[in-house]
Amino acid sequence: MNELSDKWANSSMNDEKEPCIPERTFHRLRRNVESIFGVEIECVKGIEPRYRVSSNDLGPGDSKLYDLILNKATKDEKSKSVREILGLILLGEDIPSGDMEAVKDIMHKLRSIPFDYGKQLITSVEAGDIQGADCAEWDEYYRGYVCLWNKADYNRTDLWVSIGIYDDRVLFYIVTGSQDSAYHAKVSELLDVDNGEMYRGDYWWYEPTDKSLFQLDFQTFPDMKEVKRHAELLIAKIAELPDDIQKPEA
């Protein structure tokens, strides 16, 4: 953890010049890595605790990441060739030029998931297909994230929903630009979200404590009906806040 904090302190991506990685952030990232790769990262206690992949996950066997790629393949005869191509990649061998074109097509399609489905989300709001939301735009700081809000509720509460689309999951946050700590605590209690964490632009991001509302996993492509349903539930939570919840004065 200390080594990662030192690297982060000197990273060109550390826009806020943070001196270290908060412990809470470190453990959230660790859980994300465990989820993505299907492994357990265990703590080896001592004077300086170390973290490592569990020995149970280092032996031979299927990799969740490998399975994730395979699940992108169709279930017909093409699946065999996809498996063969992936086998060559894992062995570090050259891939025939014809097959390489197919690999590039798959990679392009997977890379475009955040943009394609984020664009669909914005279009859905503009068409009035997401109940309660009347505004949407790309997040100014984070690629693949779309901000949704209701103009009247935003003007009253300074709260909106930010949805991040990845290649195998969709994440849902409630966000505010307010820096008032008393307001943060009140919002956390009434919306049933965590205590929030400040990210780029000095915005505070809250995770719903109900993790079924926070993360939506998918195998191939996101289920946009479920994405819209999650968005509507969070937008409704903001709308239902009592009238005394007002945006703090600047």
Side-chain angles (χ1 to χ4, degrees):
M1 180 174 171
N2 291 337
E3 290 173 12
L4 288 176
S5 285
D6 289 342
K7 289 180 182 293
W8 176 241
N10 297 306
S11 171
S12 61
M13 297 182 68
N14 185 358
D15 298 331
E16 304 299 325
K17 304 304 179 186
E18 296 170 325
C20 64
I21 298 175
E23 185 173 358
R24 182 170 174 271
T25 300
F26 171 80
H27 289 296
R28 188 179 74 248
L29 293 173
R30 177 176 61 83
R31 290 194 301 271
N32 288 344
V33 171
E34 288 180 327
S35 175
I36 291 169
F37 290 99
V39 298
E40 177 189 356
I41 298 178
E42 61 186 7
C43 176
V44 182
K45 296 187 180 296
I47 297 175
E48 293 185 4
R50 307 287 297 179
Y51 291 85
R52 68 182 183 192
V53 175
S54 169
S55 58
N56 293 331
D57 295 314
L58 294 177
D62 292 335
S63 159
K64 187 178 180 183
L65 182 62
Y66 181 72
D67 288 340
L68 174 65
I69 299 173
L70 287 180
N71 283 329
K72 306 291 184 183
T74 56
K75 301 300 182 183
D76 56 20
E77 287 299 318
K78 293 180 181 178
S79 295
K80 180 180 178 182
S81 62
V82 170
R83 285 180 179 273
E84 290 171 349
I85 292 170
L86 289 172
L88 291 175
I89 293 173
L90 292 174
L91 293 172
E93 297 183 8
D94 290 336
I95 300 172
S97 58
D99 289 338
M100 194 63 211
E101 290 304 312
V103 171
K104 289 178 180 178
D105 288 342
I106 293 172
M107 291 172 61
H108 175 75
K109 185 63 177 178
L110 297 182
R111 281 200 302 265
S112 68
I113 286 176
F115 176 77
D116 291 345
Y117 285 86
K119 193 173 179 181
Q120 282 189 39
L121 203 51
I122 293 174
T123 301
S124 295
V125 172
E126 293 172 345
D129 291 338
I130 298 182
Q131 186 175 352
D134 53 20
C135 298
E137 63 182 30
W138 292 102
D139 188 280
E140 62 179 319
Y141 292 105
Y142 294 100
R143 178 183 178 275
Y145 276 76
V146 174
C147 302
L148 312 181
W149 68 95
N150 176 280
K151 188 178 297 183
D153 292 327
Y154 166 73
N155 289 336
R156 176 172 69 90
T157 67
D158 192 48
L159 294 168
W160 65 93
V161 174
S162 190
I163 301 174
I165 304 172
Y166 295 87
D167 61 355
D168 67 340
R169 69 193 59 199
V170 183
L171 302 181
F172 300 82
Y173 293 89
I174 291 178
V175 187
T176 182
S178 170
Q179 302 301 309
D180 187 289
S181 58
Y183 184 70
H184 294 168
K186 188 179 291 186
V187 165
S188 296
E189 178 185 357
L190 294 175
L191 289 179
D192 193 23
V193 293
D194 68 2
N195 294 324
E197 191 160 345
M198 189 173 71
Y199 291 111
R200 292 181 185 175
D202 293 341
Y203 295 124
W204 283 83
W205 294 57
Y206 301 92
E207 295 181 11
T209 53
D210 179 353
K211 295 312 173 187
S212 67
L213 286 179
F214 171 61
Q215 181 168 321
L216 180 63
D217 296 330
F218 60 89
Q219 288 282 334
T220 307
F221 300 111
D223 182 340
M224 290 307 289
K225 287 184 179 179
E226 278 299 301
V227 172
K228 293 175 185 177
R229 187 179 72 84
H230 279 59
E232 289 175 345
L233 288 171
L234 294 176
I235 288 286
K237 279 178 171 284
I238 295 173
E240 291 166 1
L241 286 171
D243 292 336
D244 63 338
I245 302 296
Q246 299 288 335
K247 175 167 43 176
E249 296 293 333

